[in-house]
Amino acid sequence: MRIQVRTILAMATAVLVGVTLIGCAATIEGNGLPVASGITLVNRGRPKAFIVVTAAAMEKDAKDPTARKIAGAARELQTYIEKISGATLPIVADTRSMKGPLILVGRSRLTDAMGVKIPEGVTHSRREEGFVIVCRDNRLVLAGNNDGPYRGTEYAVYAFLERLGVRWFMPGEFGESVPRMGTIRFAKVQIVEKPDFVKRIWWGGWTPRVKKLDDQNRAWKLRMRMSTGDMFAIPSDGSVESIVDPGLFKTRPELFAMNLNGTRNPHAPSYSHPGAVQVAARIIKEHFRKYPDRNSFGFSPHDGYPRDYDPQTLKLHQGFVQLGGRPGVPRDASSTEEWITFANNVAREVRKDFPHVYIATNGYANRDIPPEGMDLDDHMVIMFAPIWCCTLHAYDDPHCWQKVRQGQMLKRWCELSDNVLIYGYPYNMLVSGLTPLPEFTKLRRDFALMKKWGVMGFLDETREVLAECGIASRYLRARLYWNADADVDAILDDFFDKWYGAAAGSAKAFWFALDEAVANTPMHGHEDRIMPEVYTPALLRQLDRHIAEAEKLADTKRTRLHVRADRLTFEHLEAYMALSAARRAGDYAEVIRQGKNMLEIRGKTHAINPWYFWHDESSFSGVWDWTITDRMKFYQGVLDRISGKTGDLVAMLPEKAMFRTDPHDDGKFERWHEPGFNEKGWQPILTTRPFFVQDDDLLNERGHPYVGFIWYRLKAHVPESTRGRKVKLYVPTLATEAWAWVNGQYVGHRPYQESYIRPAHMEVDVTDAIRPGQTNVIAIRVSTNMAPAQAAEGLLSRVVLYAPK
């Protein structure tokens, strides 16, 4: 009896497009199905073909890198053919004389005899990657460029297995989907593929510290045809120290960058002194003499907003301000022109002796805005990092000025250089509650644009938490790394069908409802402080219905387990929203309870598979800033202030305040803080939500929020029993700077703090200004600063008066 299977035709393969196909029709023998001429690999569970490799690849512990790559590819092919059919195809050397069907893995004397053109070679530009799949004359060739960092033969094997229906949706055996069939035949075909992007990798998370998971991750990335070797040197933060000579600091201090206070920085070069260029070039030339096979050298300033304040360097400064910065503040200035001038000069000096090498640096932080009035050396690699960038929307979304601005910057960098890498942040949220955030809409639109603009590749920093991004989104990103024009709908349909089976429609509706909410939200940013405004009650009800439907439809142990993971992901989201509601209500005990609930749910999901969540918030969890544990600890401190442990509640001020913008800074001078000030023209507003989402006039259609000064006025009765006690005003969260008055008396200032940083509380002593037994007037003046990219929310919590013990 022959087993009928639905063939994944090579011509219609969704996950591998952008290929050259000639006479392509991969067929698998089935009940009455026509079989095209080609090669029979397995017949009714019996092996019919040999896997052929070079003699070097047959050697145990082969030292030759190419031989090891070919041997690994052959073993993977053998393993998965056996998983599919039960048949084990022998692996033999090309030195043997063989007849019948042969699978030629990697270049060998037999592929040479066939005249198959296989990509090969490696140059400094790293543009030679690719592979071929050729089937003719009872021979199947699976081979590619294995030189240098390339792994083309392994890619060819995985592409072939995908055409047989194998999928690797996530790392580990849990993520595999392997069809079962007794007979495998593959038709006459010629396929040539090369990637759209030179470098294709992300890193991050906890997996390198857990060997089993790290091994799974490496194998999965290889199967996704992601880069595994260094295509170009990485200009990591602080690597600039490698191109200064510390021994010169005392004798030649002018070769080093100047600090704002006039001292010199021994760890950074002067951006403008010719001698600093010569020192850097000398060091880099020595590197290439020592390592002549290397194609590039990378260096970059330290993390943060470093600058060189040397008077000569400042002549290069053009007065531009970084995207999230404040005009007139030295640390917030853009220093692209200064830094790129230095990097350009170093590159040109090095290339006098090494004309083919590349010099890599980064466009990051205060260097991300493309330079004006200069050309880049054509062998300079720019690693662009999108700072202060919305992570929810696409580059061409007219309602998201933040992402459009990043696209404008990226496009300009690509116009200046053919060698632009993106150091992206596909965390979905840099600071995250790990709530579900698929990105189908964004990926579908962004990758086509990045290819069009000429992006060279990706070195992305992420976290390995698949419950956050969703398995489908992470899988889709990997596929688009290789081919930006892939059929996104076909990829996703294939995923949902194979992952959820009979529950595919409901599971897809669940994740697509989330994606639609994210894509269409008017919120913009890259920390989860915005997410309570994205997940609406109506959305949660919709998601619950979809999960319930999927639970009814799932009809196998495997698909029920996948739906169970989604149910837990949804319950985690519900707990997050309950935590947010409790924070708004000032119910800090409930905040802590829901935080514990979130962590318990993560543990349950981790038990299904650790790739969904790590079970705690240790360094393995993939989150470092403002974790749920951090939030519980912080709100426990707030609760202690008002529950009798470290203080007693005097008054929880109303959630609603009177509000007014102050674009010209009139309020302080017109004394808007006076108790008897006329509030005509003011409007009521909640202190627990961003001010700009509560008034259509404060957030324009492109997503620009109002920036400048805003005022809140609140009233609170202070009981007579408070007399004689110290009283403090406490605001758990506000952004970005604030001043407070009580009954017209100035009581204090919370200094500027970038809007994404948490905690962001304000605490001032108001003992002398409080009037016990009376209604008190509290006025808070907030500066959002002048950077709309920060999207400062103003007050974002209930205001509290408490008496410390």
Side-chain angles (χ1 to χ4, degrees):
M1 178 178 179
R2 293 177 178 177
I3 303 170
Q4 182 175 2
V5 297
R6 186 162 68 91
T7 303
I8 305 298
L9 296 180
M11 185 173 290
T13 299
V15 296
L16 292 167
V17 296
V19 298
T20 301
L21 305 180
I22 301 176
C24 179
T27 61
I28 302 170
E29 188 177 270
N31 185 17
L33 291 177
V35 178
S37 62
I39 186 171
T40 299
L41 309 180
V42 177
N43 187 31
R44 299 186 181 185
R46 299 178 63 185
K48 302 300 290 183
F50 290 94
I51 298 171
V52 182
V53 299
T54 61
M58 293 293 294
E59 296 176 5
K60 187 177 181 180
D61 301 323
K63 295 182 179 179
D64 177 59
T66 296
R68 290 199 301 270
K69 294 173 186 176
I70 292 174
R75 287 193 297 269
E76 283 282 80
L77 179 63
Q78 182 187 57
T79 296
Y80 280 95
I81 291 293
E82 184 174 5
K83 285 185 177 184
I84 293 170
S85 66
T88 302
L89 303 187
I91 301 175
V92 299
D94 65 345
T95 53
R96 286 181 52 177
S97 177
M98 291 162 291
K99 295 182 179 180
L102 302 179
I103 308 175
L104 310 181
V105 177
R107 181 187 299 277
S108 67
R109 65 181 185 85
L110 298 182
T111 62
D112 291 343
M114 289 178 64
V116 176
K117 184 174 176 57
I118 299 171
E120 63 179 334
V122 57
T123 66
H124 285 65
S125 67
R126 299 296 194 256
R127 261 66 171 191
E128 306 82 24
E129 197 170 13
F131 67 83
V132 298
I133 299 175
V134 176
C135 183
R136 68 171 186 260
D137 303 328
N138 222 18
R139 300 288 186 270
L140 172 62
V141 177
L142 305 175
N145 192 344
N146 301 315
D147 295 331
Y150 304 140
R151 307 187 73 152
T153 294
E154 291 157 292
Y155 295 163
V157 165
Y158 293 128
F160 168 73
L161 290 171
E162 285 179 338
R163 282 167 169 78
L164 298 186
V166 180
R167 299 289 183 270
W168 299 275
F169 292 125
M170 60 179 281
E173 190 173 353
F174 185 86
E176 287 186 359
S177 176
V178 180
R180 300 291 186 266
M181 58 191 75
T183 297
I184 304 174
R185 293 183 179 178
F186 200 72
K188 180 180 179 182
V189 67
Q190 180 171 317
I191 300 169
V192 180
E193 285 197 29
K194 62 182 299 183
D196 280 339
F197 303 103
V198 171
K199 189 171 182 68
R200 310 169 304 281
I201 197 66
W202 62 65
W203 70 277
W206 34 263
T207 54
R209 309 179 195 181
V210 184
K211 186 179 186 308
K212 179 181 177 181
L213 298 180
D214 190 39
D215 290 344
Q216 291 178 0
N217 203 20
R218 290 174 185 274
W220 183 78
K221 288 178 177 178
L222 185 59
R223 290 162 182 163
M224 293 296 100
R225 291 172 306 280
M226 293 167 69
S227 306
T228 59
D230 288 334
M231 297 296 182
F232 291 92
I234 304 305
S236 56
D237 291 333
S239 53
V240 71
E241 291 193 34
S242 68
I243 60 167
V244 297
D245 183 347
L248 296 174
F249 186 67
K250 290 184 179 180
T251 58
R252 299 288 306 280
E254 70 276 10
L255 301 183
F256 295 82
M258 182 178 286
N259 299 316
L260 185 58
N261 63 4
T263 62
R264 296 282 178 173
N265 180 354
H267 306 295
S270 164
Y271 295 177
S272 57
H273 198 291
V277 171
Q278 293 298 322
V279 170
R282 171 177 55 81
I283 292 171
I284 296 171
K285 289 177 183 180
E286 290 172 356
H287 172 85
F288 285 122
R289 292 187 184 100
K290 185 175 181 180
Y291 304 104
D293 293 335
R294 295 189 180 176
N295 73 323
S296 54
F297 185 97
F299 59 85
S300 180
H302 292 81
D303 200 3
Y305 306 115
R307 288 188 67 190
D308 175 16
Y309 294 95
D310 186 290
Q312 289 300 117
T313 299
L314 292 181
K315 291 179 181 179
L316 302 171
H317 180 57
Q318 300 300 308
F320 298 117
V321 180
Q322 59 170 295
L323 216 57
R326 297 159 292 168
V329 178
R331 72 178 292 275
D332 289 0
S334 170
S335 65
T336 305
E337 284 77 16
E338 300 101 286
W339 175 253
I340 293 299
T341 294
F342 172 74
N344 248 348
N345 288 337
V346 171
R348 289 164 182 165
E349 186 63 29
V350 169
R351 292 186 61 219
K352 289 178 181 178
D353 292 349
F354 298 90
H356 301 299
V357 302
Y358 288 79
I359 298 298
T361 191
N362 64 11
Y364 167 72
N366 61 356
R367 305 170 303 283
D368 60 345
I369 299 175
E372 294 294 338
M374 64 170 53
D375 297 322
L376 272 63
D377 186 281
D378 63 7
H379 275 51
M380 183 177 290
V381 176
I382 297 295
M383 192 169 74
F384 172 70
I387 305 300
W388 289 113
C389 175
C390 177
T391 58
L392 302 179
H393 301 113
Y395 284 124
D396 61 351
D397 188 332
H399 304 295
C400 183
W401 77 271
Q402 277 194 34
K403 192 63 182 288
V404 169
R405 181 69 49 83
Q406 292 294 325
Q408 292 164 339
M409 293 162 60
L410 175 59
K411 182 181 178 183
R412 179 57 183 157
W413 276 115
C414 290
E415 290 169 350
L416 293 169
S417 172
D418 292 331
N419 308 295
V420 176
L421 292 169
I422 295 179
Y423 188 89
Y425 301 95
Y427 287 100
N428 301 67
M429 289 282 118
L430 289 174
V431 177
S432 179
L434 300 183
T435 54
L437 274 167
E439 47 184 354
F440 310 140
T441 299
K442 180 177 70 174
L443 295 176
R444 160 194 317 271
R445 292 158 67 171
D446 282 357
F447 270 84
L449 287 170
M450 289 186 288
K451 177 183 177 181
K452 177 183 176 181
W453 293 335
V455 169
M456 183 175 67
F458 307 89
L459 172 62
D460 288 335
E461 176 187 328
T462 189
R463 65 172 67 89
E464 306 290 5
V465 180
L466 298 187
E468 179 191 31
C469 59
I471 297 169
S473 282
R474 187 55 58 88
Y475 175 71
L476 176 61
R477 179 181 289 273
R479 305 264 48 130
L480 294 174
Y481 270 0
W482 181 268
N483 179 12
D485 299 319
D487 187 333
V488 171
D489 290 324
I491 293 173
L492 293 176
D493 287 345
D494 179 70
F495 166 79
F496 283 104
D497 286 345
K498 288 181 169 60
W499 193 251
Y500 294 101
S506 298
K508 183 177 179 181
F510 174 85
W511 285 102
F512 269 67
L514 281 163
D515 180 71
E516 183 179 4
V518 170
N520 294 331
T521 181
M523 300 301 294
H524 310 275
H526 54 272
E527 297 91 30
D528 80 298
R529 58 195 170 104
I530 66 175
M531 294 314 298
E533 300 292 334
V534 178
Y535 301 119
T536 65
L539 174 65
L540 294 182
R541 291 191 295 270
Q542 182 184 8
L543 296 175
D544 196 12
R545 288 196 302 271
H546 293 320
I547 284 293
E549 291 168 358
E551 288 169 330
K552 292 177 183 177
L553 294 170
D555 58 355
T556 68
K557 181 179 179 181
R558 177 175 178 268
T559 56
R560 284 193 291 269
L561 191 61
H562 294 169
V563 172
R564 173 62 179 161
D566 285 358
R567 165 61 75 181
L568 290 170
T569 299
F570 172 67
E571 290 178 359
H572 182 264
L573 172 58
E574 284 188 307
Y576 173 84
M577 291 304 294
L579 182 154
S580 177
R583 176 186 59 77
R584 288 177 174 175
D587 186 351
Y588 302 118
E590 181 66 7
V591 169
I592 296 162
R593 192 183 78 81
Q594 291 296 342
K596 292 178 179 178
N597 188 20
M598 291 178 69
L599 297 182
E600 288 174 3
I601 292 169
R602 292 181 190 179
K604 294 176 183 178
T605 320
H606 175 92
I608 294 175
N609 188 278
W611 287 96
Y612 284 112
F613 284 118
W614 196 247
H615 57 79
D616 60 24
E617 290 198 310
S618 64
S619 59
F620 285 70
S621 68
V623 290
W624 304 276
D625 295 313
W626 198 230
T627 66
I628 297 302
T629 304
D630 292 335
R631 299 178 206 202
M632 289 192 295
K633 182 178 179 180
F634 172 76
Y635 284 108
Q636 183 65 59
V638 180
L639 180 61
D640 291 346
R641 284 173 169 84
I642 63 175
S643 63
K645 184 174 182 180
T646 61
D648 297 307
L649 179 66
V650 172
M652 176 80 71
L653 275 63
E655 185 179 12
K656 191 170 288 185
M658 297 305 291
F659 173 86
R660 183 173 174 179
T661 60
D662 188 9
H664 306 296
D665 196 19
D666 295 322
K668 179 177 180 297
F669 303 96
E670 295 178 359
R671 304 194 64 77
W672 293 1
H673 48 269
E674 292 290 352
F677 182 80
N678 188 340
E679 295 177 353
K680 182 179 180 180
W682 292 53
Q683 61 176 314
I685 200 169
L686 297 176
T687 62
T688 55
R689 295 182 64 201
F691 71 92
F692 51 77
V693 303
Q694 302 182 62
D695 186 332
D696 292 341
D697 293 333
L698 300 179
L699 186 71
N700 71 17
E701 63 179 11
R702 295 189 62 207
H704 283 281
Y706 168 87
V707 294
F709 293 107
I710 55 178
W711 286 75
Y712 298 83
R713 284 173 59 91
L714 303 102
K715 295 179 180 179
H717 178 76
V718 175
E720 181 64 35
S721 60
T722 305
R723 191 176 300 278
R725 294 194 67 179
K726 188 175 186 178
V727 178
K728 288 191 173 184
L729 172 74
Y730 190 82
V731 185
T733 307
L734 66 84
T736 58
E737 188 171 5
W739 301 257
W741 291 259
V742 174
N743 298 320
Q745 180 177 330
Y746 178 68
V747 292
H749 168 230
R750 206 299 299 276
Y752 168 79
Q753 181 175 302
E754 289 188 340
S755 61
Y756 76 93
I757 295 174
R758 296 290 186 272
H761 58 283
M762 178 182 190
E763 186 170 22
V764 293
D765 192 325
V766 298
T767 306
D768 295 339
I770 285 292
R771 297 173 185 171
Q774 299 182 36
T775 297
N776 291 250
V777 177
I778 292 92
I780 302 176
R781 172 185 183 253
V782 176
S783 170
T784 70
N785 80 59
M786 297 305 291
Q790 291 207 28
E793 306 99 322
L795 297 189
L796 203 59
S797 58
R798 298 286 290 273
V799 179
V800 171
L801 292 173
Y802 82 97
K805 288 188 173 181

